[in-house]
Amino acid sequence: MKLQLDKALSLVALGVLGVLNSAHAAPVYKIVNIENYELKGTLKDTRNGYALGVNANDELVGISKGKKKLSSSDVEGGVIDVADGIAPEETITYSIDKAIIANNFAFIAKENDDTSNPWTPNFDSINGTTAPSDTTVINSVDTFYYGINNAGIKVGSMTAPEKKAGNAATTDVTDDYWYYRDYEFRGVAKAGSTEIPLVPPYTLFVNADKTKTVELGGWSAATAINNNNLVAGYASIDISKYGSDRVNYCLGTENTLPVDVCVQREQYPNSTGTRNIQYQTRAYVWQIDNDTATGTALPLGLTPKADNTLTFTAQALGLNDNGVVAGRSHVYRNNDTDKLRQDAVYWAKDTEGNYQYHWVPMGDSISSSIAYDINNSGILVGSYRSYIQGYLRDKFFVFDTNTPDVAYVTPNDFGSTTTDLSSKPKDINNKGQVVGYIETTYDKEKPRPKAGFLYEKSTGEFNNLNKLLTCESKGYEKASDGSWARHQVEVRDGSGKTFTYNADIIVVEGTSINEEGTIVGTAFIRKPSLQLDSAGNIIVGENGEALFELNGNGDPVTAYIPGMVVLKPITNGEACTVEDNTDTGNFERSGAATLAWLFALPLVWFRRRIR
C-alpha cells in the first residue's frame, strides 16, 4: 500500500505544476468580531472561546470554557496565564464527594444580531443552564454546540444535572452528600426554544440473570447537521466487557456505596484520563421532523466475532445535504484481523435506502486516519497519522468519493513539496474551500505553534490565514506617515498604574466556512498575565483590581488566550505585509501552542482536568 501514498503525492505534484502555471489571487480577509482592537471572543466571565460552526446566514455556534469563580469586581478583563487557561484553584475536579460545577457553555453569535455590535457571543441555555455571568446559580450542566444548519437548528451535547444522595459516612457537617448525574453526555438539537434530546439506544444495564438493573445513561453526541435536518454523531449501543464488570461490582455485596454513586465513580475519568465504564459506540444519524428525532445506527467497519470482548468505536463527524456521512471507524484493513485500525470512512445509502460503510484506503505506513467533513460534490477531507522524518505527524488529505479507486491526495503545504508540518482540515464548503490548522515551525522536539489555513481545491493553493488578513485585523494601526505599528493597548492593574502592551491577534484554526467564504474558528489574542500567590489565588490590589505579572523592566508579561474569531472576505482591502516576527513585545509563551483541539481524540471532548 506504500505505492498508494506515493501515487497520492505524485498526483499532488502534478496539481501544483498546474497551479504554478496559472494566476490566482487569494482572497483578503478581515476579522469582523474586533472592537477597539479587542476580540469579542467568549462569553462574559469565561476566559476561552471557540467558534465551531457557521451557516449561510452568518450565524455561528461555539463553546466558552473557564468560568471565573470571582466576582466581576475582583478582576476586570484579566486573564490567568496557565497552560490550559484555568487557574489551579478553579480547576474542575471529578469527585463523587464534591458538587459538580459546569465549565463549558454553549453560545451563539450572528452578524445581524445587533447592528451596533454584531458578532457578540450570546449565551444559549440548554438543559436549564444559566449564563456563566449569573452568580446566583451554580450550574452543574456542561453544554456544547458543534454545528448549525441554514434553518438555524443547532446541535451539540449536554451533561445531566447534578443529583445528590445522603452520605452518612462523612464527618463534614457542611457537605454530607454524594454527587452524581444520570448521564455523562447526551446529544441534543435545538430548534428555536425547543430542545430535542438525542437519546442513545443503550442506556440501561441488566445483569446476566436479569435480576438487577441500573440506569447508566449511555452516551451520545451530535456533531453536525445538514440542511435537510439530518443530524450526524455517535451513540452507545452496548457496554464494554470491562464496563460490565465494573457495574456488576457496583451491584455486588462488596460495594458499600449507593449503586448510582458507585456507577458515577466508575464513569468519571480516572487518574490516567480513561473511564472504567466505556461503551460500544457507533456512528449515528438522527432525522429531525416536527421536533422529534428518529435515530439510525450506521454499520461498523468490521463484524466482531460473537466472543470478541474488545470495545469498538465509530463516529460520524460531518455530512452533506445528500445524506452522505463522514467520520471514522474501527476497521480490519483489507479484512486482515491482525490490522485493527481506526480509519477514515464514509457512509452512503444504497439503492434500497440502507446505509453502507465505505473505507478510505490507507497504506500500512499510516497508523490511523479520520474524516471530518464531506461536501455536496462528494469531496471528503480528513487527516492521517504517519511517521515523517522519524516523528508521528498528522497530514491533511482530500478524497473524492465519486472515484473511490483513486487514491487520496495530500495537498502540498506552503511550498511545492509536502513537509513534516502537521495539518488537519475541519470543514469544506461546496466551492471546495477547506479550512483547518497547520503547524508553522519545524522544531523537532518542541511543541509547534499552529495557524489556521485556507485551501482552494480548484487551484491547489494553500494559504496561512494570517497572511491573508488586513493589518488592522492583526493588531496594527496606521501612523500619519503611512507606516504600520502595533496598536498600544492601555490597561490598569491593582497598583493603580497604567501600562501598555502590543496588540496581537493570531488565527490558529479555521473550523467552519460557508459558501460566501465566511470563516469561523479560534484566534489567540495577547493579554496581560495576572499575579498568583503560592496557593494559586489571584493577588488583588487596594483598588480591587488584579495585579499584573511584570518583567524585569516593569512591563506586564503577556500571553496568548484563545477566543472565537470571525473572518469575512473583502474586496477593497489589502493583505498585511508587515513582518510578524518584529516588535513582539513582552510575550511569554505558556502552553499557547497546545490547544486541546476539538475532535482530536475519541470521546474526550467533555473531559475536565483532574486535580
Side-chain angles (χ1 to χ4, degrees), residues 21 111 131 260 274 313 391 518 565 572:
N21 290 326
E111 183 175 36
D260 289 336
T274 59
T313 297
Y391 294 83
T518 300
V565 67
N572 57 350

Side-chain angles (χ1 to χ4, degrees), residues 446-484:
K446 298 178 181 179
R448 294 171 165 184
K450 299 176 176 66
F453 74 73
L454 173 65
Y455 170 72
E456 302 265 3
K457 181 181 180 297
S458 61
T459 64
E461 188 170 359
F462 195 107
N463 283 288
N464 181 331
L465 282 171
N466 296 284
K467 300 294 185 181
L468 305 181
L469 295 178
T470 62
C471 284
E472 293 90 344
S473 295
K474 301 175 72 171
Y476 292 99
E477 59 184 351
K478 203 169 193 176
S480 57
D481 62 358
S483 63
W484 293 94

Side-chain angles (χ1 to χ4, degrees), residues 564-576:
M564 88 160 193
V565 67
V566 184
L567 294 77
K568 290 186 74 68
I570 59 174
T571 58
N572 57 350
E574 295 181 354
C576 191

